[in-house]
Short mmCIF file of all heavy atoms in Angstrom, two decimals:
data_model
loop_
_atom_site.label_atom_id
_atom_site.label_comp_id
_atom_site.label_asym_id
_atom_site.label_seq_id
_atom_site.Cartn_x
_atom_site.Cartn_y
_atom_site.Cartn_z
N VAL F 376 -68.06 271.73 104.35
CA VAL F 376 -69.04 272.79 104.23
C VAL F 376 -69.41 273.30 105.65
O VAL F 376 -68.99 272.68 106.66
CB VAL F 376 -70.34 272.36 103.52
CG1 VAL F 376 -70.05 271.99 102.08
CG2 VAL F 376 -70.99 271.16 104.23
N HIS F 377 -70.16 274.36 105.76
CA HIS F 377 -70.59 274.94 107.05
C HIS F 377 -69.36 275.24 107.93
O HIS F 377 -68.36 275.75 107.45
CB HIS F 377 -71.57 274.01 107.74
CG HIS F 377 -72.82 273.73 106.90
ND1 HIS F 377 -73.63 274.71 106.40
CD2 HIS F 377 -73.33 272.53 106.48
CE1 HIS F 377 -74.62 274.14 105.74
NE2 HIS F 377 -74.44 272.86 105.75
N GLU F 378 -69.41 274.85 109.17
CA GLU F 378 -68.31 275.06 110.06
C GLU F 378 -67.51 273.80 110.35
O GLU F 378 -67.11 273.52 111.46
CB GLU F 378 -68.83 275.61 111.41
CG GLU F 378 -69.41 277.04 111.26
CD GLU F 378 -69.83 277.64 112.61
OE1 GLU F 378 -69.44 277.09 113.64
OE2 GLU F 378 -70.56 278.64 112.57
N GLY F 379 -67.30 273.01 109.30
CA GLY F 379 -66.48 271.80 109.44
C GLY F 379 -67.11 270.53 109.02
O GLY F 379 -66.46 269.49 109.07
N ASN F 380 -68.36 270.51 108.59
CA ASN F 380 -69.00 269.28 108.19
C ASN F 380 -68.32 268.66 106.97
O ASN F 380 -68.12 269.36 105.97
CB ASN F 380 -70.48 269.50 107.83
CG ASN F 380 -71.30 269.85 109.05
OD1 ASN F 380 -71.19 271.00 109.49
ND2 ASN F 380 -72.08 268.95 109.57
N VAL F 381 -68.02 267.39 107.06
CA VAL F 381 -67.45 266.63 105.92
C VAL F 381 -68.27 265.37 105.78
O VAL F 381 -68.43 264.61 106.77
CB VAL F 381 -65.94 266.26 106.16
CG1 VAL F 381 -65.46 265.38 105.03
CG2 VAL F 381 -65.09 267.48 106.25
N VAL F 382 -68.86 265.16 104.64
CA VAL F 382 -69.63 263.98 104.35
C VAL F 382 -68.77 262.91 103.68
O VAL F 382 -68.12 263.20 102.66
CB VAL F 382 -70.86 264.29 103.51
CG1 VAL F 382 -71.54 262.97 103.01
CG2 VAL F 382 -71.87 265.09 104.26
N ALA F 383 -68.71 261.72 104.27
CA ALA F 383 -67.98 260.60 103.72
C ALA F 383 -68.94 259.61 103.07
O ALA F 383 -70.01 259.37 103.58
CB ALA F 383 -67.15 259.90 104.81
N LEU F 384 -68.53 259.13 101.92
CA LEU F 384 -69.25 258.09 101.20
C LEU F 384 -68.51 256.77 101.37
O LEU F 384 -67.28 256.72 101.02
CB LEU F 384 -69.40 258.39 99.75
CG LEU F 384 -70.40 259.50 99.34
CD1 LEU F 384 -69.76 260.87 99.46
CD2 LEU F 384 -70.87 259.31 97.89
N CYS F 385 -69.12 255.77 101.90
CA CYS F 385 -68.51 254.47 102.17
C CYS F 385 -69.17 253.38 101.30
O CYS F 385 -70.40 253.25 101.33
CB CYS F 385 -68.64 254.10 103.62
SG CYS F 385 -67.99 255.38 104.77
N PHE F 386 -68.37 252.65 100.56
CA PHE F 386 -68.93 251.74 99.55
C PHE F 386 -68.52 250.28 99.97
O PHE F 386 -67.41 249.96 100.32
CB PHE F 386 -68.27 251.98 98.18
CG PHE F 386 -68.60 253.34 97.64
CD1 PHE F 386 -67.81 254.44 97.97
CD2 PHE F 386 -69.68 253.55 96.80
CE1 PHE F 386 -68.07 255.69 97.48
CE2 PHE F 386 -69.95 254.82 96.32
CZ PHE F 386 -69.17 255.87 96.65
N LYS F 387 -69.53 249.39 99.86
CA LYS F 387 -69.31 248.01 100.19
C LYS F 387 -68.38 247.34 99.13
O LYS F 387 -67.56 246.48 99.45
CB LYS F 387 -70.66 247.25 100.26
CG LYS F 387 -70.47 245.79 100.69
CD LYS F 387 -71.68 245.30 101.41
CE LYS F 387 -71.44 243.92 101.99
NZ LYS F 387 -72.47 243.54 102.96
N THR F 388 -68.59 247.74 97.87
CA THR F 388 -67.70 247.30 96.79
C THR F 388 -67.20 248.54 96.07
O THR F 388 -67.85 249.58 96.07
CB THR F 388 -68.41 246.39 95.78
OG1 THR F 388 -69.57 247.03 95.27
CG2 THR F 388 -68.84 245.11 96.49
N LYS F 389 -66.07 248.45 95.42
CA LYS F 389 -65.46 249.65 94.77
C LYS F 389 -66.40 250.19 93.72
O LYS F 389 -66.87 249.46 92.84
CB LYS F 389 -64.11 249.28 94.15
CG LYS F 389 -63.40 250.49 93.64
CD LYS F 389 -61.89 250.29 93.60
CE LYS F 389 -61.24 251.61 93.20
NZ LYS F 389 -59.77 251.60 93.41
N PRO F 390 -66.71 251.51 93.76
CA PRO F 390 -67.71 252.07 92.85
C PRO F 390 -67.12 252.41 91.45
O PRO F 390 -65.92 252.48 91.24
CB PRO F 390 -68.06 253.37 93.54
CG PRO F 390 -66.82 253.80 94.27
CD PRO F 390 -66.19 252.50 94.71
N ASP F 391 -68.03 252.58 90.52
CA ASP F 391 -67.67 253.07 89.19
C ASP F 391 -67.54 254.60 89.28
O ASP F 391 -68.54 255.27 89.43
CB ASP F 391 -68.81 252.67 88.17
CG ASP F 391 -68.51 253.20 86.80
OD1 ASP F 391 -67.45 253.79 86.54
OD2 ASP F 391 -69.40 253.02 85.92
N LEU F 392 -66.35 255.08 89.09
CA LEU F 392 -66.06 256.50 89.21
C LEU F 392 -65.77 257.11 87.86
O LEU F 392 -65.15 258.18 87.77
CB LEU F 392 -64.88 256.74 90.13
CG LEU F 392 -65.05 256.26 91.55
CD1 LEU F 392 -63.81 256.51 92.39
CD2 LEU F 392 -66.25 257.00 92.26
N ASP F 393 -66.30 256.52 86.78
CA ASP F 393 -66.07 257.06 85.45
C ASP F 393 -66.66 258.52 85.40
O ASP F 393 -67.85 258.70 85.67
CB ASP F 393 -66.76 256.22 84.41
CG ASP F 393 -66.64 256.78 83.02
OD1 ASP F 393 -65.54 256.80 82.45
OD2 ASP F 393 -67.66 257.27 82.46
N PRO F 394 -65.84 259.49 85.04
CA PRO F 394 -66.30 260.87 85.07
C PRO F 394 -67.49 261.16 84.14
O PRO F 394 -68.41 261.91 84.56
CB PRO F 394 -65.06 261.69 84.59
CG PRO F 394 -63.91 260.82 84.92
CD PRO F 394 -64.40 259.42 84.71
N ALA F 395 -67.51 260.55 83.00
CA ALA F 395 -68.66 260.78 82.10
C ALA F 395 -69.94 260.19 82.68
O ALA F 395 -71.01 260.85 82.58
CB ALA F 395 -68.34 260.18 80.69
N ARG F 396 -69.83 259.02 83.23
CA ARG F 396 -71.02 258.43 83.85
C ARG F 396 -71.53 259.27 85.03
O ARG F 396 -72.77 259.52 85.13
CB ARG F 396 -70.73 256.99 84.32
CG ARG F 396 -71.98 256.22 84.78
CD ARG F 396 -71.67 255.08 85.72
NE ARG F 396 -71.23 255.55 87.04
CZ ARG F 396 -72.03 255.97 88.00
NH1 ARG F 396 -73.37 256.07 87.78
NH2 ARG F 396 -71.57 256.38 89.15
N LEU F 397 -70.63 259.68 85.86
CA LEU F 397 -71.02 260.53 86.99
C LEU F 397 -71.65 261.83 86.58
O LEU F 397 -72.67 262.27 87.14
CB LEU F 397 -69.83 260.78 87.92
CG LEU F 397 -69.27 259.58 88.68
CD1 LEU F 397 -68.05 259.98 89.47
CD2 LEU F 397 -70.32 259.02 89.64
N ALA F 398 -71.08 262.45 85.53
CA ALA F 398 -71.61 263.74 85.03
C ALA F 398 -73.02 263.55 84.48
O ALA F 398 -73.91 264.35 84.74
CB ALA F 398 -70.70 264.31 83.98
N ALA F 399 -73.21 262.46 83.76
CA ALA F 399 -74.56 262.18 83.20
C ALA F 399 -75.57 261.93 84.30
O ALA F 399 -76.73 262.42 84.24
CB ALA F 399 -74.48 261.02 82.22
N ARG F 400 -75.17 261.14 85.30
CA ARG F 400 -76.08 260.84 86.40
C ARG F 400 -76.37 262.12 87.20
O ARG F 400 -77.49 262.35 87.62
CB ARG F 400 -75.42 259.75 87.33
CG ARG F 400 -76.27 259.43 88.54
CD ARG F 400 -77.66 258.94 88.21
NE ARG F 400 -78.43 258.77 89.43
CZ ARG F 400 -79.74 258.95 89.50
NH1 ARG F 400 -80.47 259.33 88.40
NH2 ARG F 400 -80.39 258.77 90.63
N ALA F 401 -75.34 262.97 87.40
CA ALA F 401 -75.55 264.23 88.15
C ALA F 401 -76.58 265.08 87.40
O ALA F 401 -77.45 265.71 88.06
CB ALA F 401 -74.24 264.97 88.31
N ALA F 402 -76.52 265.15 86.12
CA ALA F 402 -77.46 265.97 85.35
C ALA F 402 -78.89 265.43 85.53
O ALA F 402 -79.84 266.24 85.66
CB ALA F 402 -77.11 265.97 83.86
N GLN F 403 -79.09 264.12 85.58
CA GLN F 403 -80.41 263.52 85.87
C GLN F 403 -80.88 263.94 87.23
O GLN F 403 -82.07 264.23 87.38
CB GLN F 403 -80.29 262.03 85.73
CG GLN F 403 -80.02 261.50 84.36
CD GLN F 403 -79.84 259.96 84.37
OE1 GLN F 403 -79.51 259.38 85.36
NE2 GLN F 403 -79.96 259.36 83.18
N ILE F 404 -80.02 263.88 88.23
CA ILE F 404 -80.40 264.23 89.59
C ILE F 404 -80.81 265.69 89.69
O ILE F 404 -81.83 266.03 90.32
CB ILE F 404 -79.27 263.91 90.57
CG1 ILE F 404 -79.00 262.42 90.67
CG2 ILE F 404 -79.57 264.47 92.01
CD1 ILE F 404 -77.74 262.03 91.37
N VAL F 405 -80.05 266.58 89.09
CA VAL F 405 -80.39 267.99 89.12
C VAL F 405 -81.73 268.23 88.46
O VAL F 405 -82.59 268.98 88.96
CB VAL F 405 -79.31 268.80 88.39
CG1 VAL F 405 -79.74 270.29 88.26
CG2 VAL F 405 -77.97 268.76 89.15
N ALA F 406 -81.98 267.61 87.34
CA ALA F 406 -83.27 267.78 86.64
C ALA F 406 -84.43 267.28 87.44
O ALA F 406 -85.50 267.90 87.46
CB ALA F 406 -83.21 267.10 85.28
N ALA F 407 -84.24 266.15 88.14
CA ALA F 407 -85.31 265.52 88.88
C ALA F 407 -85.56 266.12 90.25
O ALA F 407 -86.73 266.15 90.73
CB ALA F 407 -85.05 264.05 89.03
N THR F 408 -84.50 266.63 90.91
CA THR F 408 -84.62 267.00 92.35
C THR F 408 -84.12 268.44 92.66
O THR F 408 -84.43 268.95 93.75
CB THR F 408 -83.81 266.05 93.20
OG1 THR F 408 -82.44 266.23 92.97
CG2 THR F 408 -84.20 264.59 92.93
N LYS F 409 -83.32 269.02 91.77
CA LYS F 409 -82.67 270.32 92.00
C LYS F 409 -81.59 270.24 93.08
O LYS F 409 -81.02 271.26 93.47
CB LYS F 409 -83.71 271.41 92.40
CG LYS F 409 -84.72 271.69 91.30
CD LYS F 409 -85.67 272.79 91.67
CE LYS F 409 -86.68 273.06 90.56
NZ LYS F 409 -87.62 274.13 90.89
N LEU F 410 -81.22 269.06 93.47
CA LEU F 410 -80.06 268.89 94.35
C LEU F 410 -78.77 269.23 93.59
O LEU F 410 -78.73 268.95 92.38
CB LEU F 410 -79.96 267.47 94.90
CG LEU F 410 -81.02 267.10 95.94
CD1 LEU F 410 -80.99 265.57 96.21
CD2 LEU F 410 -80.77 267.84 97.24
#
Side-chain angles (χ1 to χ4, degrees):
V376 296
H377 304 302
E378 293 184 14
N380 293 76
V381 175
V382 169
L384 288 82
C385 305
F386 299 87
K387 184 149 188 168
T388 57
K389 188 154 185 168
D391 177 4
L392 299 176
D393 177 69
R396 188 202 71 79
L397 290 176
R400 177 60 185 147
Q403 293 174 340
I404 294 169
V405 173
T408 68
K409 298 183 180 179
L410 288 170

